[in-house]
Amino acid sequence: MIFINKQLDRFKDGNDVVQVNKMQNAYPHLYDKDGNKIKDFFVGFDEQNENLLVETSIKDDKEIRQKVEQFIREQKQYIKAEQQKLQKQLNVYDKRIRAMNAVLSDRGLSEFTKEDCCRSMYEGTESNIGKIGIIPLSGLTNDYKKPEYQLFRLDGGFGCSPAGRGNSCFGKFCADGSEARMEKFDFIGIGNAEVEKIAQELEVGWSGGASGCAERERELDGPEM
């Protein structure tokens, strides 16, 4: 949707005179504070409503369309270039994350087992959303067969209900924030208080917060099971 404001007539007073402040209301980008016209066309983004906002005193619809189309072409080129810059920076961040993950092995973490669980995924009446599910080390591929990747922050899914019949569980790996879908039966159980503490320490490395609740700017591929 494009909103085009080119109707100055509705800002005229009873004597058919357009006041300076009225012109500023009609065309805030076309006139300066003294009411002097500085240009006849402006196009920008109405971010709140996700529209293009066009201000113009041009009467010819064909000319308006040509200017809008030129703006769109230039914006697409600009956005593509910015996306490429961002992707390069994200690649740098990915390398940093991998470097930090490599250091995690020096934390002295041992394999998490059933002994580190306070209950199974099927026990109790409390939802497991927000809890730490422990994946057996044998359930991870070789590239991710590390204790830190056994810890998975459960964010939602029918499988998070102990008594529910569903199995799907959605969440993030505490080691790097990678999002993935797991099945209820993929977990040994819910981690105890000590496991929760370790999980939070891991999450600080990528989330910027102790609980790992900060949203990712983009979705990373989760490790394959």
Side-chain angles (χ1 to χ4, degrees):
M1 177 180 179
I2 300 177
F3 171 69
I4 298 180
N5 177 8
K6 57 176 180 174
Q7 301 299 324
L8 196 59
D9 289 342
R10 62 192 180 92
F11 290 93
K12 293 181 178 179
D13 60 19
N15 298 318
D16 203 34
V17 175
V18 178
Q19 302 297 323
V20 171
N21 64 329
K22 297 297 184 181
M23 285 192 293
Q24 289 175 289
N25 290 337
Y27 305 109
H29 297 90
L30 303 189
Y31 292 82
D32 62 20
K33 60 183 180 63
D34 298 319
N36 299 311
K37 190 174 183 179
I38 53 179
K39 53 187 171 182
D40 60 8
F41 182 84
F42 169 82
V43 59
F45 292 104
D46 174 12
E47 303 287 1
Q48 182 175 358
N49 299 308
E50 298 184 359
N51 296 330
L52 282 183
L53 173 62
V54 179
E55 295 176 20
T56 180
S57 56
I58 299 172
K59 302 301 182 182
D60 184 61
D61 289 341
K62 183 178 180 180
E63 183 179 356
I64 293 173
R65 183 175 183 83
Q66 289 175 341
K67 287 181 176 292
V68 171
E69 289 177 345
Q70 180 181 355
F71 170 81
I72 291 174
R73 287 194 296 270
E74 292 174 351
Q75 279 293 304
K76 284 185 175 180
Q77 292 175 351
Y78 167 77
I79 291 172
K80 183 177 181 180
E82 289 299 304
Q83 287 177 326
Q84 290 174 344
K85 291 179 184 178
L86 288 172
Q87 187 59 55
K88 288 181 179 179
Q89 190 59 51
L90 288 172
N91 290 338
V92 171
Y93 291 151
D94 282 345
K95 291 179 180 178
R96 292 182 184 179
I97 288 175
R98 287 196 293 270
M100 289 186 287
N101 286 341
V103 177
L104 289 176
S105 58
D106 297 331
R107 294 171 58 88
L109 293 179
S110 301
E111 178 181 357
F112 295 99
T113 67
K114 188 175 181 179
E115 299 300 319
D116 299 297
C117 299
C118 60
R119 64 175 184 275
S120 74
M121 292 287 291
Y122 301 87
E123 294 178 307
T125 57
E126 179 185 0
S127 171
N128 290 320
I129 293 178
K131 304 297 183 181
I132 300 298
I134 299 180
I135 304 167
L137 199 61
S138 60
L140 299 170
T141 58
N142 290 335
D143 290 342
Y144 298 94
K145 203 177 289 291
K146 302 176 184 178
E148 54 268 23
Y149 277 100
Q150 288 185 259
L151 307 186
F152 188 84
R153 177 75 66 180
L154 296 160
D155 291 337
F158 292 115
C160 291
S161 173
R165 299 178 63 180
N167 287 310
S168 60
C169 297
F170 301 92
K172 302 179 182 68
F173 284 87
C174 297
D176 60 10
S178 299
E179 297 181 358
R181 169 181 170 167
M182 307 290 293
E183 300 300 318
K184 195 174 188 176
F185 47 77
D186 287 330
F187 298 96
I188 301 173
I190 298 298
N192 57 28
E194 183 60 30
V195 170
E196 172 66 32
K197 181 179 178 181
I198 295 172
Q200 289 183 6
E201 291 176 352
L202 291 171
E203 289 168 332
V204 168
W206 57 266
S207 73
S211 63
C213 293
E215 293 184 359
R216 300 276 279 173
E217 291 297 325
R218 70 190 184 98
E219 181 177 339
L220 298 174
D221 293 331
E224 296 179 356
M225 295 295 99

